[in-house]
CSV table of all heavy atoms in Angstrom, one decimal:
chain,number,residue,atom,x,y,z
A,1,VAL,N,27.5,-32.0,-35.9
A,1,VAL,CA,28.0,-32.2,-34.5
A,1,VAL,C,27.2,-33.1,-33.7
A,1,VAL,O,27.5,-33.6,-32.6
A,1,VAL,CB,28.2,-30.9,-33.8
A,1,VAL,CG1,29.1,-30.0,-34.6
A,1,VAL,CG2,26.9,-30.2,-33.6
A,2,GLY,N,26.0,-33.6,-34.2
A,2,GLY,CA,25.1,-34.5,-33.5
A,2,GLY,C,23.9,-34.8,-34.3
A,2,GLY,O,23.7,-34.2,-35.4
A,3,PHE,N,23.0,-35.7,-33.8
A,3,PHE,CA,21.8,-35.9,-34.4
A,3,PHE,C,20.7,-36.2,-33.4
A,3,PHE,O,21.0,-36.5,-32.3
A,3,PHE,CB,21.9,-37.0,-35.5
A,3,PHE,CG,22.1,-38.4,-34.9
A,3,PHE,CD1,20.9,-39.3,-34.8
A,3,PHE,CD2,23.3,-38.9,-34.5
A,3,PHE,CE1,21.0,-40.5,-34.2
A,3,PHE,CE2,23.4,-40.2,-34.0
A,3,PHE,CZ,22.3,-41.0,-33.8
A,4,ARG,N,19.4,-36.1,-33.9
A,4,ARG,CA,18.3,-36.3,-32.9
A,4,ARG,C,17.2,-37.1,-33.6
A,4,ARG,O,16.6,-36.7,-34.6
A,4,ARG,CB,17.8,-35.0,-32.5
A,4,ARG,CG,16.6,-35.0,-31.5
A,4,ARG,CD,16.3,-33.7,-31.0
A,4,ARG,NE,15.3,-32.9,-31.9
A,4,ARG,CZ,14.5,-32.0,-31.5
A,4,ARG,NH1,14.5,-31.6,-30.2
A,4,ARG,NH2,13.8,-31.4,-32.4
A,5,PRO,N,16.9,-38.3,-33.0
A,5,PRO,CA,15.6,-38.9,-33.5
A,5,PRO,C,14.4,-38.2,-32.8
A,5,PRO,O,14.6,-37.8,-31.6
A,5,PRO,CB,15.8,-40.3,-32.9
A,5,PRO,CG,16.7,-40.2,-31.8
A,5,PRO,CD,17.6,-39.0,-32.0
A,6,MET,N,13.2,-38.1,-33.4
A,6,MET,CA,12.1,-37.5,-32.9
A,6,MET,C,11.3,-38.4,-32.1
A,6,MET,O,10.2,-38.8,-32.4
A,6,MET,CB,11.3,-36.8,-34.0
A,6,MET,CG,12.1,-35.8,-34.9
A,6,MET,SD,11.2,-35.0,-36.2
A,6,MET,CE,10.3,-33.7,-35.3
A,7,LEU,N,11.8,-38.7,-30.9
A,7,LEU,CA,11.4,-39.8,-30.0
A,7,LEU,C,9.9,-39.5,-29.6
A,7,LEU,O,9.1,-40.3,-29.4
A,7,LEU,CB,12.2,-40.0,-28.9
A,7,LEU,CG,13.6,-40.6,-29.2
A,7,LEU,CD1,14.5,-40.6,-28.0
A,7,LEU,CD2,13.5,-42.1,-29.7
A,8,GLN,N,9.6,-38.2,-29.4
A,8,GLN,CA,8.2,-37.9,-28.8
A,8,GLN,C,7.1,-38.2,-29.8
A,8,GLN,O,6.0,-38.4,-29.4
A,8,GLN,CB,8.1,-36.4,-28.4
A,8,GLN,CG,8.2,-35.4,-29.6
A,8,GLN,CD,8.0,-34.0,-29.1
A,8,GLN,OE1,8.3,-33.7,-28.0
A,8,GLN,NE2,7.4,-33.2,-30.0
A,9,ASP,N,7.5,-38.4,-31.1
A,9,ASP,CA,6.5,-38.8,-32.1
A,9,ASP,C,6.5,-40.3,-32.4
A,9,ASP,O,5.8,-40.6,-33.3
A,9,ASP,CB,6.8,-38.0,-33.4
A,9,ASP,CG,6.6,-36.4,-33.2
A,9,ASP,OD1,5.8,-36.1,-32.3
A,9,ASP,OD2,7.4,-35.8,-33.8
A,10,LEU,N,7.4,-41.0,-31.7
A,10,LEU,CA,7.5,-42.4,-32.1
A,10,LEU,C,6.9,-43.2,-30.9
A,10,LEU,O,6.6,-42.8,-29.8
A,10,LEU,CB,9.0,-42.8,-32.2
A,10,LEU,CG,9.7,-42.1,-33.3
A,10,LEU,CD1,11.2,-42.3,-33.3
A,10,LEU,CD2,9.2,-42.7,-34.7
A,11,PRO,N,6.5,-44.5,-31.3
A,11,PRO,CA,5.9,-45.4,-30.2
A,11,PRO,C,6.7,-45.6,-29.0
A,11,PRO,O,8.0,-45.7,-29.1
A,11,PRO,CB,5.5,-46.7,-30.9
A,11,PRO,CG,5.6,-46.4,-32.4
A,11,PRO,CD,6.6,-45.2,-32.5
A,12,ASP,N,6.1,-45.7,-27.8
A,12,ASP,CA,6.8,-46.0,-26.6
A,12,ASP,C,7.6,-47.4,-26.9
A,12,ASP,O,7.0,-48.3,-27.4
A,12,ASP,CB,5.9,-46.2,-25.4
A,12,ASP,CG,5.3,-44.9,-25.0
A,12,ASP,OD1,5.6,-43.9,-25.7
A,12,ASP,OD2,4.4,-44.9,-24.1
A,13,GLY,N,8.8,-47.5,-26.4
A,13,GLY,CA,9.6,-48.7,-26.5
A,13,GLY,C,10.4,-48.7,-27.9
A,13,GLY,O,11.2,-49.6,-28.0
A,14,TRP,N,10.2,-47.7,-28.7
A,14,TRP,CA,10.9,-47.7,-30.0
A,14,TRP,C,12.4,-47.7,-29.9
A,14,TRP,O,13.1,-48.5,-30.6
A,14,TRP,CB,10.5,-46.5,-30.8
A,14,TRP,CG,11.2,-46.3,-32.2
A,14,TRP,CD1,10.7,-46.8,-33.4
A,14,TRP,CD2,12.4,-45.7,-32.5
A,14,TRP,NE1,11.5,-46.5,-34.4
A,14,TRP,CE2,12.6,-45.8,-33.8
A,14,TRP,CE3,13.3,-45.0,-31.7
A,14,TRP,CZ2,13.7,-45.2,-34.5
A,14,TRP,CZ3,14.4,-44.4,-32.3
A,14,TRP,CH2,14.6,-44.6,-33.7
A,15,ILE,N,12.9,-47.1,-28.9
A,15,ILE,CA,14.3,-46.9,-28.8
A,15,ILE,C,15.0,-48.2,-28.3
A,15,ILE,O,16.2,-48.4,-28.4
A,15,ILE,CB,14.7,-45.7,-27.8
A,15,ILE,CG1,16.2,-45.3,-28.1
A,15,ILE,CG2,14.5,-46.0,-26.4
A,15,ILE,CD1,16.5,-44.0,-27.4
A,16,LEU,N,14.2,-49.1,-27.7
A,16,LEU,CA,14.7,-50.4,-27.2
A,16,LEU,C,14.7,-51.4,-28.3
A,16,LEU,O,15.2,-52.6,-28.0
A,16,LEU,CB,13.8,-50.9,-26.1
A,16,LEU,CG,13.8,-49.9,-24.8
A,16,LEU,CD1,12.7,-50.3,-23.8
A,16,LEU,CD2,15.2,-49.9,-24.2
A,17,GLN,N,14.3,-51.2,-29.5
A,17,GLN,CA,14.3,-52.2,-30.5
A,17,GLN,C,15.8,-52.7,-30.9
A,17,GLN,O,16.7,-51.8,-30.8
A,17,GLN,CB,13.7,-51.7,-31.8
A,17,GLN,CG,12.2,-51.4,-31.7
A,17,GLN,CD,11.7,-50.7,-33.0
A,17,GLN,OE1,11.1,-51.5,-33.8
A,17,GLN,NE2,12.0,-49.6,-33.2
A,18,GLY,N,16.0,-53.9,-31.4
A,18,GLY,CA,17.3,-54.4,-31.6
A,18,GLY,C,18.2,-53.6,-32.5
A,18,GLY,O,19.3,-53.3,-32.2
A,19,ARG,N,17.7,-53.2,-33.7
A,19,ARG,CA,18.5,-52.5,-34.7
A,19,ARG,C,18.9,-51.2,-34.1
A,19,ARG,O,20.0,-50.6,-34.3
A,19,ARG,CB,17.8,-52.5,-35.9
A,19,ARG,CG,18.6,-51.8,-37.1
A,19,ARG,CD,18.0,-52.1,-38.4
A,19,ARG,NE,16.6,-51.9,-38.6
A,19,ARG,CZ,15.9,-52.4,-39.6
A,19,ARG,NH1,16.4,-53.2,-40.4
A,19,ARG,NH2,14.6,-52.1,-39.6
A,20,VAL,N,17.8,-50.5,-33.4
A,20,VAL,CA,18.1,-49.2,-32.8
A,20,VAL,C,19.2,-49.3,-31.8
A,20,VAL,O,20.2,-48.5,-31.8
A,20,VAL,CB,16.9,-48.6,-32.2
A,20,VAL,CG1,17.1,-47.3,-31.5
A,20,VAL,CG2,15.8,-48.4,-33.3
A,21,MET,N,19.2,-50.2,-30.9
A,21,MET,CA,20.2,-50.5,-29.9
A,21,MET,C,21.5,-50.8,-30.5
A,21,MET,O,22.5,-50.2,-30.0
A,21,MET,CB,19.8,-51.6,-29.0
A,21,MET,CG,18.5,-51.2,-28.1
A,21,MET,SD,18.9,-50.0,-26.8
A,21,MET,CE,19.9,-51.0,-25.7
A,22,ARG,N,21.6,-51.5,-31.5
A,22,ARG,CA,22.8,-51.8,-32.2
A,22,ARG,C,23.4,-50.5,-32.8
A,22,ARG,O,24.7,-50.2,-32.6
A,22,ARG,CB,22.6,-52.8,-33.4
A,22,ARG,CG,22.4,-54.2,-33.0
A,22,ARG,CD,22.6,-55.2,-34.0
A,22,ARG,NE,21.7,-55.0,-35.2
A,22,ARG,CZ,20.5,-55.5,-35.2
A,22,ARG,NH1,20.0,-56.3,-34.2
A,22,ARG,NH2,19.8,-55.3,-36.3
A,23,ASN,N,22.7,-49.7,-33.4
A,23,ASN,CA,23.2,-48.4,-33.9
A,23,ASN,C,23.5,-47.4,-32.8
A,23,ASN,O,24.5,-46.6,-32.9
A,23,ASN,CB,22.1,-47.8,-34.9
A,23,ASN,CG,22.0,-48.5,-36.2
A,23,ASN,OD1,23.1,-49.1,-36.6
A,23,ASN,ND2,20.9,-48.6,-36.7
A,24,LEU,N,22.9,-47.5,-31.7
A,24,LEU,CA,23.2,-46.7,-30.5
A,24,LEU,C,24.6,-47.1,-30.0
A,24,LEU,O,25.5,-46.3,-29.5
A,24,LEU,CB,22.2,-46.7,-29.4
A,24,LEU,CG,20.9,-45.9,-29.6
A,24,LEU,CD1,19.9,-46.2,-28.6
A,24,LEU,CD2,21.2,-44.4,-29.7
A,25,ARG,N,24.9,-48.4,-30.0
A,25,ARG,CA,26.2,-48.9,-29.6
A,25,ARG,C,27.3,-48.4,-30.5
A,25,ARG,O,28.4,-48.1,-30.0
A,25,ARG,CB,26.2,-50.4,-29.5
A,25,ARG,CG,25.4,-51.0,-28.3
A,25,ARG,CD,25.6,-52.5,-28.1
A,25,ARG,NE,24.8,-53.0,-27.0
A,25,ARG,CZ,23.5,-53.5,-27.2
A,25,ARG,NH1,23.0,-53.5,-28.4
A,25,ARG,NH2,22.8,-53.9,-26.1
A,26,LEU,N,27.0,-48.3,-31.8
A,26,LEU,CA,27.9,-47.8,-32.7
A,26,LEU,C,28.4,-46.4,-32.4
A,26,LEU,O,29.6,-46.1,-32.4
A,26,LEU,CB,27.3,-47.9,-34.2
A,26,LEU,CG,28.2,-47.2,-35.2
A,26,LEU,CD1,29.5,-47.9,-35.5
A,26,LEU,CD2,27.3,-47.2,-36.5
A,27,ILE,N,27.4,-45.5,-32.1
A,27,ILE,CA,27.8,-44.1,-31.9
A,27,ILE,C,28.5,-44.0,-30.5
A,27,ILE,O,29.2,-43.2,-30.2
A,27,ILE,CB,26.6,-43.2,-32.0
A,27,ILE,CG1,25.5,-43.4,-31.0
A,27,ILE,CG2,26.0,-43.2,-33.5
A,27,ILE,CD1,24.5,-42.3,-30.9
A,28,ALA,N,28.1,-44.9,-29.6
A,28,ALA,CA,28.6,-44.9,-28.3
A,28,ALA,C,30.1,-45.3,-28.3
A,28,ALA,O,31.0,-44.6,-27.7
A,28,ALA,CB,27.9,-45.8,-27.3
A,29,GLU,N,30.5,-46.2,-29.2
A,29,GLU,CA,31.8,-46.6,-29.4
A,29,GLU,C,32.6,-45.4,-30.0
A,29,GLU,O,33.8,-45.3,-29.7
A,29,GLU,CB,31.9,-47.9,-30.4
A,29,GLU,CG,31.5,-49.0,-29.6
A,29,GLU,CD,31.2,-50.3,-30.7
A,29,GLU,OE1,31.6,-50.1,-31.8
A,29,GLU,OE2,30.7,-51.3,-30.2
A,30,ASP,N,32.0,-44.7,-30.9
A,30,ASP,CA,32.6,-43.4,-31.5
A,30,ASP,C,32.7,-42.3,-30.5
A,30,ASP,O,33.3,-41.3,-30.8
A,30,ASP,CB,31.9,-43.0,-32.7
A,30,ASP,CG,32.3,-43.9,-33.9
A,30,ASP,OD1,33.2,-44.7,-33.8
A,30,ASP,OD2,31.7,-43.6,-35.1
A,31,GLY,N,31.9,-42.3,-29.4
A,31,GLY,CA,31.7,-41.2,-28.6
A,31,GLY,C,31.0,-40.0,-29.2
A,31,GLY,O,31.2,-38.8,-28.8
A,32,PHE,N,30.2,-40.3,-30.3
A,32,PHE,CA,29.5,-39.2,-30.9
A,32,PHE,C,28.1,-38.9,-30.2
A,32,PHE,O,27.4,-39.8,-29.8
A,32,PHE,CB,29.1,-39.7,-32.4
A,32,PHE,CG,28.7,-38.6,-33.3
A,32,PHE,CD1,29.6,-37.7,-33.8
A,32,PHE,CD2,27.3,-38.5,-33.7
A,32,PHE,CE1,29.2,-36.7,-34.6
A,32,PHE,CE2,27.0,-37.5,-34.5
A,32,PHE,CZ,27.9,-36.6,-35.0
A,33,PRO,N,27.8,-37.6,-30.1
A,33,PRO,CA,26.7,-37.2,-29.3
A,33,PRO,C,25.3,-37.4,-30.0
A,33,PRO,O,25.3,-37.2,-31.2
A,33,PRO,CB,27.0,-35.7,-29.0
A,33,PRO,CG,27.9,-35.2,-30.1
A,33,PRO,CD,28.6,-36.4,-30.5
A,34,ILE,N,24.3,-37.5,-29.1
A,34,ILE,CA,23.1,-37.6,-29.6
A,34,ILE,C,22.1,-36.8,-28.7
A,34,ILE,O,22.3,-36.7,-27.5
A,34,ILE,CB,22.5,-39.1,-29.6
A,34,ILE,CG1,21.0,-39.2,-30.2
A,34,ILE,CG2,22.6,-39.7,-28.3
A,34,ILE,CD1,20.6,-40.6,-30.3
A,35,ASP,N,21.1,-36.0,-29.4
A,35,ASP,CA,20.1,-35.3,-28.6
A,35,ASP,C,18.9,-36.3,-28.4
A,35,ASP,O,18.6,-36.9,-29.4
A,35,ASP,CB,19.7,-34.1,-29.4
A,35,ASP,CG,20.5,-32.8,-29.1
A,35,ASP,OD1,21.7,-32.9,-29.2
A,35,ASP,OD2,20.0,-31.8,-28.8
């Protein structure tokens, strides 16, 4: 029903990387939830 990247263990700014942002857009288009 959802998924979660372990952001607290990743470098600051990790979520802003190009490939990560592209994949976030994919799930946003699907309306799929993320923790």
Side-chain angles (χ1 to χ4, degrees):
V1 299
F3 72 97
R4 180 175 82 157
M6 298 183 80
L7 292 171
Q8 70 175 24
D9 299 326
L10 296 170
D12 292 358
W14 179 90
I15 200 167
L16 297 170
Q17 296 177 102
R19 184 159 53 197
V20 174
M21 291 290 286
R22 286 196 299 273
N23 288 327
L24 286 173
R25 288 191 181 92
L26 170 65
I27 66 165
E29 290 169 4
D30 277 358
F32 193 74
I34 182 173
D35 272 54

